[in-house]
Amino acid sequence: MSVKTITAEELKEQEIYARKVRSVTHTYFEKPVAYVHTYGCQQNVSDGEKIKGMLEKMGYGFTDEIEKAALILFNTCAVRENAVDRVFGNVGALKRLKKKNPDIVIAICGCMVQQEETARKIKNTFPFVDIIFGTHVLHKFPELLCRHLFEGGRILEIPDCDGVIAENISVKRESDFKASVPIMYGCNNFCTYCVVPLVRGRERSRNAEDIISEVRELVDNGYKDILLLGQNVNSYGKGTEVDFPELLSRLDRLEGEFKIEFMTSHPRDCTERLIDVIADSEKICHHLHLPVQCGSDRILKLMNRHYDKAHYLGLVDYARKRIPGLNLTTDIIVGFPGETREDFDQTLELMRNVCFDSAFTFIYSPRLGTKAAEMEDPVSAEEKGKWFRELLEVQGECGSKSYQKYVGRTVKVLCDGKGRTSEEYFTGKSRENIIVDFNGAEKDIGTFVNVRITEAKAWALIGEKV
């Protein structure tokens, strides 16, 4: 499939729009400030950093106080129903602000907007929203804002396409030492419960040299934690010379003290070669997030996951043999349409057998446009809630047990900031991507420190700096 790459000329055109916005906003404000709120996954967070980068070029500062903003933007998520409901509630609350100050610019973008029916609802229910744009035109934000400011009226930009790749967009990163780097966009898997292919388009991979150059520049500028992003990173570069294991190998060879992590992996495309690269690396985290979703082969087939339980367990067995101390995490969906108690018991059995270090667990949420939303779903919400609590209990036991093996060990931790254990503690993550709270100091933030583990909790490790 051919992928449209935004040309340098097209990006220069956006820079011209950005300068025009800057000229008009600075006529009315000494320095306008924007309130930007991002919902959802790490990919959305990365998009939010690009939005802020573009706004900064357009002359905006930023505020956490929505009442002070000259521009309010919600970058939305469509993966779960409660995230969508939160957005609608928060957008509705802006009506009062718009009435008080009609010059405020209100914009909504992201995955919710890329759904035709949802975009229509926003347009019809919230007439005070000025700019509505989808995931495939993020790079055109300066143009859309410019058109609204100079021409007036509402702007609606939601092209129906498989997406684009736009390099060299300005980024305003949230951290001075942690950076997310998208390596691909979209998804081809079409799991029956998932809306991502519908709102993010088909898979398209960035050029490997562009990724390597970006990571090299980040490391040269002092970044120590590089998170590679994609809806399914394992399928990066399919059919090309540089697939995901090769990309990881090349990044691992870059000079500097930093660590590499990635998300999210799909078991269908996870290979022994990928596991070998992680095992033999110097900088790649010994952490594998491998969403199983369910322990029943019948339900996995209904989910269109393209693997069975035996395949998944084979990957787990190989990964744990090759990577001693591997931190293995997963996603589980409870109450998928048609799931029976017998199916759910197979999920509990798998969890006990694998004993994940941690798990992100969800009760099934129907999403508009997906095949699962049309399936019969006879199990009550009350029963699903009961199953969910059982799942949490099993995972709690597994998590506590798995973290005990670290007590007495010394691990290398990248300090993030203040800890949750007490006011005197600081926190970070080990190479296994496990949260570690320890008796650090302000000067440790953004640096690697060695910590001897003294205690294991269900959610984190506790230790002393050595």
Side-chain angles (χ1 to χ4, degrees), residues 42-212:
Q42 288 290 338
Q43 184 67 65
N44 271 23
V45 172
S46 177
D47 286 349
E49 291 183 333
K50 290 176 181 176
I51 288 166
K52 284 188 171 182
M54 287 184 277
L55 281 168
E56 194 168 54
K57 275 206 162 185
M58 290 186 274
Y60 284 85
F62 301 96
T63 180
D64 292 328
E65 299 179 62
I66 199 167
E67 302 269 353
K68 295 182 178 179
L71 181 147
I72 299 167
L73 183 145
F74 289 157
N75 179 25
T76 65
C77 172
V79 171
R80 308 217 175 272
E81 188 174 10
N82 59 355
V84 172
D85 291 341
R86 277 202 310 275
V87 172
F88 283 140
N90 291 337
V91 172
L94 298 180
K95 183 177 181 179
R96 176 185 59 83
L97 284 178
K98 188 72 168 181
K99 189 174 182 180
K100 182 180 176 183
N101 183 2
D103 291 331
I104 292 174
V105 178
I106 298 176
I108 302 180
C109 66
C111 293
M112 263 180 66
V113 175
Q114 198 61 43
Q115 295 179 292
E116 183 179 350
E117 192 167 317
T118 306
R120 190 184 305 118
K121 180 176 179 178
I122 293 170
K123 180 183 177 183
N124 295 335
T125 309
F126 307 108
F128 50 87
V129 174
D130 302 298
I131 304 173
I132 304 168
F133 61 103
T135 57
H136 305 322
V137 289
L138 183 75
H139 63 285
K140 292 179 68 175
F141 180 41
E143 176 184 346
L144 304 180
L145 181 54
C146 186
R147 281 167 50 194
H148 170 70
L149 292 175
F150 279 85
E151 301 169 15
R154 305 180 77 190
I155 305 295
L156 183 67
E157 190 88 7
I158 311 167
D160 182 15
C161 67
D162 280 323
V164 300
I165 290 180
E167 296 289 352
N168 302 314
I169 296 177
S170 297
V171 179
K172 181 176 174 59
R173 299 194 181 275
E174 300 293 328
S175 169
D176 294 330
F177 57 91
K178 297 168 66 175
S180 298
V181 177
I183 63 170
M184 63 176 297
Y185 306 92
C187 184
N188 290 351
N189 287 308
F190 288 92
C191 299
T192 55
Y193 55 82
C194 184
V195 76
V196 166
L198 307 180
V199 297
R200 286 283 181 180
R202 303 299 294 272
E203 287 179 1
R204 50 209 186 274
S205 298
R206 292 177 63 194
N207 179 277
E209 289 307 318
D210 289 332
I211 297 168
I212 293 167

Side-chain angles (χ1 to χ4, degrees), residues 383-449:
E383 186 69 9
K384 291 181 181 182
K386 180 182 175 184
W387 294 357
F388 187 71
R389 290 188 291 274
E390 286 184 60
L391 190 79
L392 292 181
E393 187 176 335
V394 170
Q395 179 52 42
E397 294 169 0
C398 290
S400 297
K401 187 191 304 181
S402 65
Y403 282 1
Q404 284 295 331
K405 64 178 178 281
Y406 290 96
V407 175
R409 296 186 189 177
T410 296
V411 297
K412 190 176 183 179
V413 175
L414 176 60
C415 182
D416 289 335
K418 296 292 288 185
R420 287 192 288 172
T421 308
S422 73
E423 290 186 4
E424 292 78 30
Y425 272 65
F426 285 73
T427 194
K429 287 187 177 180
S430 67
R431 187 184 181 187
E432 296 77 20
N433 209 30
I434 296 173
I435 296 171
V436 180
D437 273 17
F438 61 97
N439 59 335
E442 290 283 346
K443 64 181 177 62
D444 294 325
I445 296 175
T447 68
F448 287 101
V449 295

